[in-house]
Amino acid sequence: MGELRNRKLMKLIGLVCACMLLLVGFKESYIMEPVEMGGMVSVAHRGASGYAPENTHAAFRKGLELGADFLEFDLHLSKDGELVIIHDDKVNRTTNGDGFVSDYTLAELKKLDAGSKFHKDFKDERIITLEELFSDFYGQIGLLIEIKKPSKYPGIEEKVAAVLEEYNDLSSVVVQSFDIESMRKMHNLVPELQIALLMKRSAIQLTSKEIEDLTSFATFINFNISYVNKHIIDQIHSFGGKVLVWSAKDVRSINKAYQYGVDGIITDFSIWPLEDVIFIAKE
């Protein structure tokens, strides 16, 4: 009986320790080791945003260091029409500023602290432009560009296309958005570019004809792992498309993605039980 109680106590202590790691992990996870992805493509969400402030040079460097296949990042337009990398349409959450990105010039955005809210060690991180990111990372790692709210920024597709025209090989570049018509436009502007479509929950009801239409111009049809199913993934694959999933932040979600046969996971490299993930990868 005493031995049984001791084993139960050790399991309880282990569970408590795991919970504590999860609670502190967001701010400290940049010191952890990378995880195995079971052969699937790994996309560093807003850079390795579990380790460094999202969408900053530090997060992109960390994603490269951890062996991600792609860096994912978000685009808005500044007041003076510059392509700037930030997720929200306001600067409040990730910087020491206040208000809409579109109300700031690039010079004003560059003055904001984009790192301290994550951790004091990143106080010198700044908002960067699409051109700056390409200058530093093109050719070293795949680049997955998400255009945020393109309808808010008329002409943003042409601006992205103009940047891409400076590079001869776009085989490692993907542009994505929830706005399907914006992505049709990107395909027409840069036919050799890989296009990805971010899908809402209702998209799991897509018909075969709709999937055929979408895969006629998009390489990737991407879903939140919480509501995708194997049937829709198999249908997309049958038309030659690929599927990336996001919000896979625990072993169960990774296992689901792996068993469904997705082509990759968009991840912030959150802390996962590493042994379980590696075990799944070997199955």
Side-chain angles (χ1 to χ4, degrees):
M1 290 294 291
E3 183 179 349
L4 179 61
R5 282 197 299 270
N6 287 338
R7 286 202 300 268
K8 288 183 177 179
L9 179 60
M10 291 302 294
K11 287 183 179 180
L12 179 60
I13 292 172
L15 179 61
V16 171
C17 289
C19 291
M20 291 176 66
L21 279 172
L22 287 172
L23 286 172
V24 303
F26 179 75
K27 294 297 185 182
E28 300 299 333
S29 60
Y30 60 89
I31 65 173
M32 302 297 290
E33 294 298 319
V35 300
E36 296 292 333
M37 301 302 290
M40 296 180 288
V41 171
S42 61
V43 182
H45 183 232
R46 308 177 198 174
S49 55
Y51 297 73
E54 64 180 60
N55 278 324
T56 65
H57 200 277
F60 300 135
R61 284 198 311 270
K62 194 64 180 178
L64 180 63
E65 176 188 327
L66 292 176
D69 297 300
F70 281 83
L71 301 175
E72 185 268 354
F73 51 92
D74 309 281
L75 286 185
H76 288 270
L77 281 183
S78 66
K79 184 177 181 179
D80 48 349
E82 297 293 332
L83 293 162
V84 291
I85 298 175
I86 184 171
H87 180 270
D88 302 352
D89 58 359
K90 287 187 173 183
V91 299
N92 303 49
R93 181 177 61 85
T94 56
T95 80
N96 62 336
D98 178 70
F100 288 97
V101 175
S102 56
D103 288 336
Y104 286 79
T105 65
L106 176 60
E108 291 168 340
L109 289 169
K110 285 289 189 181
K111 295 177 182 178
L112 300 179
D113 178 353
S116 292
K117 284 193 173 181
F118 182 91
H119 193 279
K120 63 182 180 180
D121 291 350
F122 297 98
K123 65 178 182 178
D124 293 326
E125 291 298 318
R126 303 292 168 184
I127 293 172
I128 65 174
T129 66
L130 180 63
E131 292 90 339
E132 288 170 331
L133 185 138
F134 263 73
S135 176
D136 289 341
F137 293 99
Y138 172 82
Q140 300 184 68
I141 188 171
L143 302 174
L144 175 52
I145 305 165
E146 180 175 349
I147 301 179
K148 307 295 289 188
K149 301 182 178 180
S151 61
K152 182 179 178 179
Y153 306 112
I156 191 171
E157 296 91 351
E158 286 85 355
K159 287 179 177 289
V160 173
V163 173
L164 298 182
E165 286 174 1
E166 300 297 316
Y167 298 87
N168 295 323
D169 183 4
L170 297 179
S171 60
S172 62
V173 179
V174 182
V175 176
Q176 70 177 5
S177 177
F178 280 100
D179 189 322
I180 292 175
E181 295 313 309
S182 173
M183 292 301 94
R184 287 187 196 274
K185 185 176 182 180
M186 280 302 315
H187 172 67
N188 291 330
L189 287 169
V190 191
E192 68 272 27
L193 180 67
Q194 295 184 86
I195 297 297
L197 303 176
L198 295 169
M199 308 306 291
K200 297 178 181 179
R201 182 183 293 272
S202 59
I204 62 172
Q205 305 297 328
L206 286 171
T207 66
S208 294
K209 186 175 181 180
E210 288 170 327
I211 294 172
E212 183 177 17
D213 172 54
L214 296 178
T215 54
S216 69
F217 69 94
T219 304
F220 297 92
I221 312 293
N222 300 341
F223 295 85
N224 187 308
I225 187 60
S226 65
Y227 55 73
V228 74
N229 58 56
K230 191 173 189 305
H231 175 69
I232 191 71
I233 292 171
D234 288 345
Q235 281 192 304
I236 292 167
H237 284 162
S238 73
F239 285 101
K242 299 179 182 180
V243 178
L244 303 178
V245 295
W246 71 90
S247 292
K249 300 188 178 185
D250 54 64
V251 169
R252 181 176 296 179
S253 295
I254 296 174
N255 191 23
K256 179 181 177 181
Y258 187 73
Q259 296 299 327
Y260 282 5
V262 305
D263 299 282
I265 295 181
I266 302 172
T267 168
D268 58 5
F269 289 87
S270 298
I271 296 176
W272 293 316
L274 301 184
E275 290 184 3
D276 290 344
V277 175
I278 293 170
F279 174 77
I280 291 168
K282 293 177 179 177
E283 284 292 310

